[in-house]
Structures are given as structure tokens and as C-alpha cells.
Amino acid sequence: MIILIPAYEPDRQLPDLIRSIRDAEPWATVVVVDDGSGPAYRDVFDGVKALGCHVVGYATNRGKGFALKTGFGFIADHLPGRNVVCADSDGQHTIVDILKVAAAVKPGSPAMVLGTRSFTGNVPARSRFGNNATRLLFTLATGQRISDTQTGLRGYPASMLPWLRSVHGERYEYELNLLLEAKQAGYAINSVDIATVYLDHNAGSHFRPVADSARIYAPLLKFLASSFTAFLVDTLMFLLLTAATDSLLLAVVGARAVSSAVNFAVNRRLVFRRGREKPAARTGVRYFALVAVLLAANFGLIAAFEALSLAMLPAKILAEIALLATSYAVQQRFLFAGKNAGKVNGKAAAETADELPANTHIPA
């Protein structure tokens, strides 16, 4: 087991954490990444190194995602074949919970392990709100329920390292991107319960509420915005065609033909990062096949709601909401996945990982 700790301008909590690890597991390998903390923190990292840790880093702050991928690269190059547990440097994770997550990571198993908090007790309001908001958006966009999408305590089997290095994101959004892309890449997400710990109301956190929240929510909000735009187009066409034809079937089919063309173009170019890696014609055929399936389901749901004496417009809105998560999951995992999605242990992932800068492992 390797414990990987990204650190930016750490306080006394970092050496305290290292000492607790040494007391519980004297022979554990610990890798600390200095995320551009600067000369003022050299003594902290020198002290951590004196405690037997590997310390790597770079001169300018690049963000938590970049720090984690730097650590994964160092481990793949110098300490290959061992499972990795990532923990934060600010004292939020106890050694008991770190070892609990480590024990849940099974060698060779295609699954990451999340240390999930219950958010009970004295939890800072911004942390409680942030996790609830991300959890809700994540569920709406993917249909998956994960109780703690923002946990920094995570365990990964050694076989996942090439894929971990290939996932997009350099700051806090990186960890959410891992959850969004895991199933597409063939990985499961398991969890174990851990304590909810906030020291001094999380004063040691470097999370920027506005800028970092925008980065975290961007993948989900882009899809929701695209879907909402298509929904507005679809609803407008639906109402116009209903008035013009007095036929539910023609109104639903015609409206969906227009709105799906708009949605396909936006999703392929702007929403899904790897959407343009596949030919538009082939992806388009599959997309409109999905549209046909969702259209049939949409028509059936609207008819069912109307049979329950619900007005046509509210019935339309409820049907769209019910099918939103299915649409996102299929598009992300199949339609707009990269050409090499799923080849996480093969050449494609390794080549992507090799694109990371080779000169980032500068000793602190």
C-alpha cells in the first residue's frame, strides 16, 4: 500500500498525519506532492521528508488534480504494482479511516473505493451545502447515487494508475471527473463509511467557493444546460405542432426531430470532451437511434400522465425529467466516449499518461 498526499501550503496537520501513519504502520510508503507551495513551506516538506516520505513537487501551484496525477506518475515510475490510497493533508482523514479504505481496495479488482462521510454533527455550512449540491447534480446527470462525491479519501488498485493519469482536470474538478468517467472506463465505485472531521471549521482548506465550484459543476451543468436548451426548443415546437395538427404523435415526433438535432450538435462539440473523436455520421446514427427509443418512452409517459388527468404541458415536463438521467448515461458511456474508452490497462491509456510533463518531479 502507498499513501499519496497532495499538499498546498500545509500547516502542522501534515507532519501530525505523517507521524500517526508511522505510529500505526511504520513501514507504510508515503508519497507527498508539494503543489507549488513556495519557499516559505520548504521547512515543512523537509521535515516530512525526514520522517521517511518521498517528496516530489514543482514550483508553481497547479491544483489538486495535477498534484494527484503527478503523484500517480511518480508511483508508476518508481513504485509500480502497489495499491494507492489518497488522503488530504489538512487532518480531515484519520489513520483508522485511511487503513479502512486501504483494506477495502482489492488487488486486481476493477473498482475504486471512496471513504464516505455522513455529514452529521458540527459540519461547516459551505461543506454541507457543497456536497448536497454536487450529489444532487451528479444523480440528476448520471442516475447514480453516491453519498459523498467530494471525499478526498479514496483507494485505487495499482491497475487503475494509467487511467487515473489520463482523466481530464487539474484542480478540484478532477476527482468528480473520475466518478463521471469510471463506468465508461469499466470501473466500479465502492464505498466505506468514515468519520466526518472538520478542524477549525475547515480553516485549512484552500477550496475557493466560486471558482472551484464552477470547475466542479461544469461537466454536469454543461449537459444540463444543453438538455434544457433542447427542452425549450422541443417544448416550443411541441406546442406549435399541437396547435397546427391536433395530433399528439405528430407533435411529439416533429418536436423531437428538431430539438434532437440541436442537442446532438451541442453535445458533440461542447459537452462531451471526446465527442469529436468519432466520425459524426456513425455517432449520429447511434444518437438518433437513442432518440427513437427515448421518443417512444416519452410518448408513452405523456400518454400515461394524460390518462391520469394531468394537463399536456406538465405531463411533457415530467416525462422529460424522468428520461434525463438515462440520456446522459448513454451519451457519456457509449455515444461520445473516446475511441479508446475502456482500454485503461492497454496502450491507449499509457500513451495518454505519457503526455504528462516528465520534469514535474522536482524535489522540494
Side-chain angles (χ1 to χ4, degrees):
M1 174 189 69
I2 296 175
I3 300 174
L4 173 61
I5 305 173
Y8 174 59
E9 298 184 351
D11 57 16
R12 60 179 177 79
Q13 301 299 333
L14 177 59
D16 288 348
L17 174 61
I18 302 302
R19 292 187 188 95
S20 66
I21 293 172
R22 289 284 172 252
D23 290 341
E25 292 287 331
W27 307 112
T29 300
V30 181
V31 176
V32 176
V33 179
D34 173 10
D35 183 23
S37 300
Y41 295 85
R42 185 180 301 275
D43 289 345
V44 176
F45 290 102
D46 286 345
V48 165
K49 190 172 183 179
L51 292 171
C53 300
H54 297 274
V55 178
V56 295
Y58 35 86
T60 304
N61 175 251
R62 298 292 300 272
K64 186 178 182 182
F66 190 89
L68 286 170
K69 286 188 278 190
T70 297
F72 294 142
F74 177 85
I75 292 166
D77 293 340
H78 302 282
L79 305 163
R82 298 164 68 179
N83 299 337
V84 180
V85 175
C86 299
D88 291 341
S89 64
D90 56 5
Q92 288 194 40
H93 305 137
T94 68
I95 183 59
V96 172
D97 288 333
I98 291 173
L99 296 179
K100 184 188 296 186
V101 170
V105 180
K106 306 302 180 184
S109 171
M112 70 175 71
V113 177
L114 306 182
T116 58
R117 300 160 292 181
S118 62
F119 290 94
T120 58
N122 188 22
V123 178
R126 74 172 186 177
S127 298
R128 190 188 301 275
F129 173 80
N131 188 71
N132 288 340
T134 309
R135 181 174 58 189
L136 175 61
L137 287 171
F138 186 87
T139 301
L140 284 174
T142 68
Q144 297 175 259
R145 291 185 60 84
I146 295 179
S147 61
D148 187 0
T149 57
Q150 295 183 317
T151 178
L153 181 55
R154 306 182 180 202
Y156 306 102
S159 59
M160 290 183 68
L161 286 181
W163 174 72
L164 292 170
R165 298 173 68 191
S166 74
V167 174
H168 178 70
E170 291 195 351
R171 295 190 179 274
Y172 287 103
E173 78 279 7
Y174 170 71
E175 291 180 307
L176 182 61
N177 289 343
L178 291 178
L179 302 182
L180 289 169
E181 298 187 22
K183 281 198 173 182
Q184 174 186 311
Y187 291 117
I189 301 174
N190 300 331
S191 63
V192 297
D193 294 333
I194 63 171
T196 304
V197 179
Y198 286 101
L199 302 177
D200 299 325
H201 295 278
N202 208 22
S205 173
H206 295 283
F207 184 84
R208 300 167 298 175
V210 177
D212 291 324
S213 293
R215 285 177 173 271
I216 288 173
Y217 300 146
L220 304 177
L221 292 178
K222 282 194 298 184
F223 177 77
L224 293 175
S226 171
S227 298
F228 183 68
T229 300
F231 166 74
L232 292 179
V233 173
D234 191 90
T235 301
L236 178 61
M237 293 301 300
F238 176 78
L239 294 174
L240 292 174
L241 290 172
T242 299
T245 66
D246 198 29
S247 168
L248 174 61
L249 179 59
L250 288 177
V252 170
V253 173
R256 187 52 52 91
V258 176
S259 65
S260 60
V262 172
N263 188 246
F264 173 75
V266 173
N267 285 356
R268 183 172 182 269
R269 296 187 64 84
L270 301 176
V271 176
F272 295 100
R273 186 170 60 92
R274 294 171 177 163
R276 284 176 284 180
E277 291 183 11
K278 294 180 179 179
R282 185 175 66 178
T283 306
V285 169
R286 296 178 180 179
Y287 175 84
F288 286 102
L290 171 65
V291 168
V293 173
L294 294 177
L295 178 61
N298 184 278
F299 181 81
L301 285 173
I302 292 176
F305 288 140
E306 286 192 315
L308 296 174
S309 301
L310 191 64
M312 186 174 293
L313 184 57
K316 168 76 172 169
I317 294 173
L318 287 176
E320 294 292 348
I321 293 174
L323 296 173
L324 179 65
T326 300
S327 176
Y328 179 88
V330 174
Q331 289 184 59
Q332 185 202 44
R333 298 174 198 171
F334 302 106
L335 297 186
F336 298 112
K339 292 180 180 180
N340 299 312
K343 296 181 180 179
V344 294
N345 295 317
K347 182 178 179 181
E351 288 176 348
T352 306
D354 288 340
E355 294 175 2
L356 291 174
N359 61 346
T360 56
H361 311 305
I362 303 170

